[in-house]
Amino acid sequence: MSLDTPAPSTPAITEARRQAEICNACRYCEGFCAVFPAMFDKRLFANGDITQLANLCHNCRGCYYSCQYTSPHEFELNLPKALAEVQVESWDRFAWPRGISAAVQSNGLAIAAVLVLGIAALFFAQSTLSPDGGEGFYAVLAHSVMTAIFMPAFLFPLAVLAIGLRRYWHETDGRPVKFRHLREAAMNAAKMRNLSGGQEQGCNYEKGDRYSQARRYAHQATMWGFLLCFAATVSGTVMHYGFALHAPYSLISLPKILGVPGGVLLTLGTVKLAWLKTRADSNLGAGTTRGGEMAFVFLLGLTGASGLALYASTGTTLVPSLMGLHLGAVLALFLLTPYSKMAHGFYRLAALVRDAQRRSAKTD
Amino acid sequence: MEQTEWDVIIVGGGNAALCAAIEAAEANARVLVLESAPKPYRGGNSRHTRNFRCMHRGPLSVLTDSYAEDEYFNDLLRVTNGKTEKDMARQTIRESEACLPWMERHGVRFQPSLSGTLSLSRTNAFFLGGGKALVNAYYNVLEDLGVTVLYEAEVTHIQVTEQRFEAVDVAVAGTVLKVRGRAAVLASGGFQSDIDWLARAWGPAARNFLIRGTRFNRGVVLNDMLEQGAESVGDPTQCHAVAIDGRAPKFDGGIVTRLDCVPFSVVVNRDAERFYDEGEDVWPKRYAIWGRLVAAQPDQVAFSIIDSRSAELFMPSVFPPERANTIAELAQKMGLPPEKLTHTIDTFNAACSEGHFTPQDLDGLSTQGLEPPKTNWARPIVEPPFFGYVLRPGVTFTYLGLKVDPTARVSGPDGPYENIWAAGEIMAGSILGQGYLAGFGMTIGTVFGRIAGQEAAAYVA
């Protein structure tokens, strides 16, 4: 296995390049987001340049609705769609092994199947490996069994992502990363600056050419919700191993203070994102990924909602089934991370870091 | 539609029409907008525009410093060689300052001047996303105000009885309706997309012109009004044309078809002969005259030749240039006589002299003993690969229009019409007799669109 993939000339990249060359002669959209200043820095676009632009694009669609060259004009510009298709294709190229990402992204059933398998695995573990003692949900599944399942399910996706990001960096001609690049990228992601329309007016998603903050806020809720839930899990792990403080935790413990609001945000955010997706013009995204994205949003939402339900059911007979559901969803989410829409978070951040490098190279 | 008695009927769907419709609707008039284009092409030439030239006494929105009335007016006089209706020009300039905040209040967003246009950061406010974004914002305002907008509604006749507007004939889905209104605002643009009219005015050469903007500005309403004796302004035989990429589409090529290579190139005609000083001045100032120069050449076509050293000195072009390692090969690819072009380039190169080449300023690097001379940036074309662009005239707008007074009221055969106003390109000749100043079309459209809407609404109130 070679770690480095050369950027190929695919039909999607060729089409995005054709469109970028038209944009480069117009420049009216310069103020919308980071894609355009990055684009206008170039006169010729290498394949890796197109990959970078594609992963920088947040699909806010401001450029599409402003464009004088969209169909029926013969130039037929649809930059959000062209870049989304390059993006989807690039994640499959970067993820090891190839082909899984393409299948998962374009197929909601694949995600559902992994979810079912994840839940089944957890129920199977509960029924065959039921512990002799243990408190709370450790009475259902021993901590050691959970660790045996989730440690590899966490580390394997991380390894695949590391390979993918390395390939991304190579393809986009990335430079050594400095702290300020990371800080800038993190700030941009934290505020979703590239979904702000350039002037904090939001994006053109569910209301056509009118601006709206709905998608930005829903995405923020989802992202921060997920990060809070993840932080809750990490804090629990640290308390378990570092301080021998074992679950169940009370409401004023760190895992709960982080996890309960996180679960609420994650659930509400994903519901809103899914609803917005039904209102948006599907012709402005990648042609094949709608089902996969919907299923992924559902999986994320299920993770949050089932976690909350599990907590609410503490002490009842519902714990074993809700636990199987919740941990099964988490398992599916982890395993699918490098191959599903979840990967966008990592590649988006890489693209933002790469863009911070481009800007600092201009001012240095 | 026919049963309703509309207060104000707006003919057209571009910037001026929309400004008029918003003003009238905000004054509680019952407004109907008739746009001849289908929805994806709504907005006339405004959909291709990028900025608004604005007077301001201090920093205003994205505009830096100040741009006073006199400076603005002098800029206008310079480009029009004095062919300007002075009082109305000053009125337009003065009122532009209040327009910018009005535009922002109605959803228009501005951005700092685009890369490659730094020279305009003080005088011109650029639309975020360009003119189509502005058009979208205004249509959304109209929707919120409950204004009725009909697309693919071509007005064919303005019915006037004794200086008074009565109704319009409008073709909608193959049927001609007679729609009655108490006042009319005509904002339906010039006639540049009626190629036959252009050919009658300019001569058969006009059939080779490209139209940079919308195909829907056919001048139907303008012609109808002139036939009914409305007073006209502007030279009926003239249009504003620039040299654009010869491979551009016949209509709606817009901004991307501009080519800024001329000052760094040698420009020849079909016979591989030079015909004008390519280095007369910096490009923004000379941009406008090259349309006319190319139009005067056989077949209305010209070819701009550069070498590899100049390839990145100007904004990227939408179509890649022809490319070859020798001049003769380039000539062959572009359909020019190879020996003749080689001779022309050799002669030009021999006339170049040593000196310092500075692409952004007039560098005085001039040819010696060459006719016509190239008086700046005359650097020999010697470093392969060589690149060639084909140039054709691209029409932006026509000058012939309706004469209006300072309240935007149209002048008829016996004085002003009682209830007809006009705004935008259809009356711009009332102010701009010749030449063009970047962003001034949007200024005229916004200022007079608003006036026309206010006046029409006051009339029906």
Coordinates of all heavy atoms in Angstrom, one line a residue, chain A residues 91 161 226 296 300 333 336-347:
Chain A
W91 N -12.8 12.1 -0.7 CA -12.8 11.3 0.6 C -12.6 9.8 0.3 O -12.0 9.1 1.1 CB -14.1 11.6 1.3 CG -14.3 13.0 1.7 CD1 -13.3 14.0 1.7 CD2 -15.5 13.6 2.1 NE1 -13.9 15.2 2.1 CE2 -15.2 15.0 2.3 CE3 -16.8 13.2 2.3 CZ2 -16.2 15.9 2.8 CZ3 -17.7 14.0 2.7 CH2 -17.4 15.4 3.0
L161 N -8.2 7.7 9.3 CA -8.2 9.2 9.1 C -6.8 9.8 9.0 O -6.6 10.7 8.2 CB -9.0 9.8 10.2 CG -10.5 9.8 10.1 CD1 -11.1 10.3 11.4 CD2 -11.0 10.6 9.0
F226 N -21.9 17.3 19.5 CA -21.1 16.2 19.4 C -19.8 16.3 20.2 O -19.4 15.4 20.9 CB -20.8 15.9 17.9 CG -19.8 14.8 17.7 CD1 -20.2 13.5 17.7 CD2 -18.4 15.1 17.5 CE1 -19.3 12.4 17.6 CE2 -17.5 14.0 17.4 CZ -18.0 12.7 17.4
F296 N -26.8 9.4 7.6 CA -25.7 9.8 8.6 C -26.2 10.8 9.6 O -25.9 10.6 10.8 CB -24.5 10.4 7.8 CG -23.5 11.0 8.8 CD1 -22.7 10.2 9.5 CD2 -23.4 12.4 8.9 CE1 -21.8 10.8 10.4 CE2 -22.6 13.0 9.8 CZ -21.7 12.2 10.6
L300 N -26.3 10.2 13.7 CA -25.8 11.2 14.7 C -26.9 11.5 15.7 O -26.6 11.5 16.9 CB -25.4 12.5 14.0 CG -23.9 12.8 13.7 CD1 -23.7 14.2 13.1 CD2 -23.1 12.7 15.0
L333 N -21.2 4.8 14.5 CA -20.7 6.1 14.2 C -19.2 6.1 14.1 O -18.6 6.7 13.2 CB -21.2 7.1 15.3 CG -20.9 8.5 15.0 CD1 -21.6 9.1 13.8 CD2 -21.3 9.4 16.3
L336 N -17.9 4.2 11.1 CA -18.2 4.9 9.8 C -17.4 6.2 9.6 O -17.5 6.8 8.5 CB -19.7 5.1 9.6 CG -20.5 3.8 9.4 CD1 -22.0 4.1 9.5 CD2 -20.2 3.3 8.0
T337 N -16.8 6.7 10.7 CA -16.3 8.1 10.6 C -15.4 8.3 9.4 O -15.6 9.3 8.8 CB -15.5 8.4 12.0 OG1 -16.5 8.5 13.0 CG2 -14.7 9.7 11.9
P338 N -14.4 7.5 9.1 CA -13.6 7.8 7.9 C -14.3 7.7 6.6 O -13.7 8.2 5.6 CB -12.4 6.8 8.0 CG -12.7 6.0 9.2 CD -14.1 6.2 9.7
Y339 N -15.4 7.1 6.6 CA -16.1 6.7 5.3 C -17.4 7.5 5.1 O -18.0 7.4 4.0 CB -16.4 5.2 5.2 CG -15.2 4.4 5.6 CD1 -15.1 3.7 6.8 CD2 -14.1 4.4 4.8 CE1 -14.0 2.9 7.1 CE2 -12.9 3.6 5.1 CZ -12.9 2.9 6.3 OH -11.8 2.2 6.6
S340 N -17.9 8.2 6.0 CA -19.2 8.9 5.9 C -19.0 10.4 5.9 O -17.9 10.9 5.9 CB -20.1 8.5 7.1 OG -19.5 9.0 8.3
K341 N -20.1 11.1 5.9 CA -20.1 12.5 6.0 C -19.3 13.0 7.2 O -18.8 14.1 7.2 CB -21.5 13.0 6.0 CG -21.7 14.5 6.2 CD -21.6 15.2 4.8 CE -21.7 16.7 5.0 NZ -21.6 17.4 3.7
M342 N -19.2 12.2 8.2 CA -18.4 12.5 9.4 C -17.0 12.9 9.0 O -16.3 13.8 9.7 CB -18.3 11.4 10.4 CG -17.9 11.7 11.8 SD -19.1 12.7 12.6 CE -18.3 13.0 14.2
A343 N -16.4 12.4 7.9 CA -15.1 12.7 7.5 C -14.9 14.1 7.1 O -13.8 14.7 7.2 CB -14.7 11.8 6.3
H344 N -16.0 14.8 6.8 CA -15.9 16.2 6.3 C -15.3 17.1 7.4 O -14.6 18.0 7.1 CB -17.3 16.7 5.8 CG -18.1 17.3 6.9 ND1 -18.9 16.6 7.8 CD2 -18.3 18.6 7.3 CE1 -19.5 17.4 8.6 NE2 -19.1 18.7 8.4
G345 N -15.6 16.7 8.7 CA -15.0 17.6 9.7 C -13.5 17.6 9.7 O -12.9 18.6 9.9
F346 N -12.9 16.4 9.4 CA -11.5 16.3 9.4 C -10.9 17.0 8.2 O -9.9 17.7 8.3 CB -11.1 14.8 9.5 CG -11.5 14.2 10.8 CD1 -12.8 13.7 10.9 CD2 -10.7 14.2 11.9 CE1 -13.3 13.1 12.1 CE2 -11.2 13.6 13.1 CZ -12.4 13.1 13.2
Y347 N -11.4 16.7 7.0 CA -10.9 17.3 5.8 C -11.2 18.8 5.7 O -10.4 19.5 5.2 CB -11.5 16.5 4.6 CG -10.9 15.1 4.5 CD1 -11.8 14.0 4.7 CD2 -9.6 14.9 4.3 CE1 -11.3 12.7 4.6 CE2 -9.1 13.6 4.2 CZ -9.9 12.5 4.4 OH -9.4 11.2 4.4

